[in-house]
Amino acid sequence: MSDIPTNLTWERAAPPEATGPGPWIELAFGENDLVYIRETSDPETVVTTTQKKWDAFVLGVQAGEFDHFVEGVEEVDGLGGGQR
């Protein structure tokens, strides 16, 4: 999407105790129920979705629907606990 608002407040999706430059995912919530997602290592590439789809994704993560994507993946440095 080429019309990314310039006044977005980006929030890093990482625990406060996480160290290092990432890369981390950042989120911004905009007007018209739009959610913007980018990676700190490539901030010019932004994915846009709706609040309803974002909420469904978050509920799916909380319910373990995506756990199969990380089977066998070792804990990421700086995140500790291995909690999902």
Side-chain angles (χ1 to χ4, degrees):
M1 179 178 201
S2 60
D3 296 327
I4 306 301
T6 57
N7 63 339
L8 294 172
T9 301
W10 292 94
E11 226 179 294
R12 186 175 83 163
E17 68 276 4
T19 60
W24 304 104
I25 298 296
E26 293 181 310
L27 302 168
F29 298 91
E31 294 181 6
N32 300 318
D33 283 333
L34 292 178
V35 179
Y36 301 89
I37 307 164
R38 70 182 184 185
E39 192 171 320
T40 56
S41 63
D42 186 14
E44 299 302 314
T45 301
V46 178
V47 175
T48 306
T49 190
T50 64
Q51 183 72 51
K52 187 174 182 176
K53 290 177 183 177
W54 175 252
D55 292 344
F57 172 73
V58 170
L59 289 172
V61 169
Q62 291 174 335
E65 294 177 19
F66 303 101
D67 287 358
H68 63 283
F69 287 114
V70 293
E71 286 177 5
V73 175
E74 293 189 27
E75 186 177 315
V76 177
D77 288 339
L79 293 182
Q83 296 177 344
R84 284 183 250 161

